[in-house]
């Protein structure tokens, strides 16, 4: 079955370190999204991509970057982790011209 | 800009009680509306959706009707089960054809036996 996976599921890092969170989908979806989930804020969009070599900033993109070198993967990089980036991160994807997004299981990140 | 407002939780109910979770939205046009559910330790799953006014989305006993006049999309279920305990998110799609979703802050539902 097609799916969307994230790794690692849990990560502890230190302030100032670079961290990369992986997202991989096997639906061949064009659209991919990264969100962070924090209490009281719901889900907030970090970055998104409509296809290979396309990336766009979302609502809370500062301190994060993404790259899209193939259809299946959209890794999220924290260039220099900060304690404010402690959160749960979700990746999602949707097909071309489709509004419904399908979510991965999430990565819980703790920045000490 | 577009936004979604949900009732704050937690909502605590006994099994077989009637559930309503309120959701209202602000948007410049007529976006598609969604309810997603998040079970403990998992990602979000689409529960139901409606794409135009007066549409009713339904799934697993849950229903929500797209009300243009009140800009609402309230989630209802006639008889909740313990297994319905989760966080429920209301969302709308941006009208700029960007396929981005805007989420409410989520409502936690606790169902007691």
């Amino acid at each position: 079955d097609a799916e969307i996976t994230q790794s690692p599921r849990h990560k502890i890092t230190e302030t100032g370190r670079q961290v990369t969170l992986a997202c991989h989908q096997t639906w061949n979806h064009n659209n991919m999204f990264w969100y962070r989930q924090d209490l009281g804020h719901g889900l907030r969009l970090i970055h998104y991509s409509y296809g290979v070599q396309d990336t766009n900033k979302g609502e809370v993109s500062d301190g994060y970057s993404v790259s899209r070198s193939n259809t299946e993967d959209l890794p999220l990089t924290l260039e220099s982790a900060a304690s404010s980036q402690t959160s749960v991160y979700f990746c999602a994807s949707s097909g071309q011209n489709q509004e419904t997004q399908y979510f991965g299981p999430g990565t819980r990140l703790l920045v000490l | 800009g577009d936004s979604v407002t949900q009732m704050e939780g937690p909502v605590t109910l006994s099994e077989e009680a009637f559930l309503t979770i309120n959701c209202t939205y602000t948007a410049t046009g007529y976006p598609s509306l969604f309810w997603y559910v998040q079970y403990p330790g998992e990602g979000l799953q689409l529960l139901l959706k409606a794409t135009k006014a007066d549409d009713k989305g339904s799934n697993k006993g849950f229903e929500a009707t797209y009300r243009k006049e009140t800009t609402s999309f309230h989630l209802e279920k006639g008889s909740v089960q313990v297994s319905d305990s989760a966080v429920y998110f209301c969302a709308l799609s941006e009208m700029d054809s960007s396929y981005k979703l805007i989420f409410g802050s989520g409502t936690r539902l606790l169902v007691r036996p």
Side-chain angles (χ1 to χ4, degrees):
Chain A
D1 283 345
E3 61 178 356
I4 180 166
T5 57
Q6 294 183 234
S7 61
R9 295 294 311 278
H10 302 271
K11 176 76 175 177
I12 300 174
T13 191
E14 296 176 343
T15 302
R17 290 191 180 269
Q18 185 181 77
V19 176
T20 296
L21 309 182
C23 175
H24 179 80
Q25 52 95 6
T26 59
W27 282 301
N28 202 34
H29 282 169
N30 290 323
N31 308 328
M32 295 185 73
F33 306 84
W34 272 104
Y35 297 89
R36 59 178 290 174
Q37 182 181 26
D38 305 288
L39 273 175
H41 290 280
L43 276 78
R44 292 181 291 176
L45 184 63
I46 304 172
H47 282 287
Y48 56 104
S49 168
Y50 293 133
V52 176
Q53 303 300 331
D54 176 75
T55 61
N56 306 279
K57 293 182 178 181
E59 177 189 1
V60 290
S61 61
D62 287 349
Y64 304 94
S65 64
V66 293
S67 61
R68 188 92 180 266
S69 59
N70 58 54
T71 301
E72 296 80 17
D73 300 289
L74 187 69
L76 177 71
T77 297
L78 287 68
E79 301 294 344
S80 177
S83 57
S84 60
Q85 295 177 308
T86 292
S87 187
V88 181
Y89 291 86
F90 288 99
C91 181
S93 70
S94 65
Q96 191 169 11
N97 300 325
Q98 298 297 315
E99 296 173 314
T100 301
Q101 294 182 16
Y102 299 90
F103 283 77
T107 294
R108 188 173 294 273
L109 177 66
L110 175 61
V111 182
L112 300 175
Chain B
D2 296 355
S3 65
V4 176
T5 302
Q6 287 181 239
M7 61 189 292
E8 289 197 18
V11 173
T12 304
L13 296 173
S14 297
E15 205 164 23
E16 299 184 2
F18 184 86
L19 168 71
T20 299
I21 299 179
N22 290 338
C23 171
T24 58
Y25 67 89
T26 301
T28 52
Y30 302 110
S32 294
L33 301 174
F34 303 81
W35 277 102
Y36 279 83
V37 59
Q38 183 182 31
Y39 298 104
E42 299 183 11
L44 279 70
Q45 303 174 24
L46 178 67
L47 181 59
L48 54 84
K49 64 185 267 190
T51 58
K52 60 183 187 296
D54 299 324
D55 265 4
K56 177 185 286 187
S58 61
N59 186 24
K60 300 181 180 179
F62 291 89
E63 294 182 340
T65 300
Y66 191 136
R67 300 289 188 196
K68 180 180 64 174
E69 61 276 8
T70 55
T71 61
S72 65
F73 193 54
H74 304 321
L75 183 67
E76 297 181 335
K77 186 175 185 183
S79 176
V80 294
Q81 306 300 312
V82 172
S83 58
D84 294 325
S85 297
V87 180
Y88 292 82
F89 291 92
C90 185
L92 63 80
S93 62
E94 292 254 34
M95 289 301 296
D96 58 359
S97 300
S98 66
Y99 307 109
K100 293 187 289 183
L101 295 180
I102 295 175
F103 288 87
S105 56
T107 302
R108 182 175 298 277
L109 171 65
L110 301 173
V111 180
R112 294 188 288 201

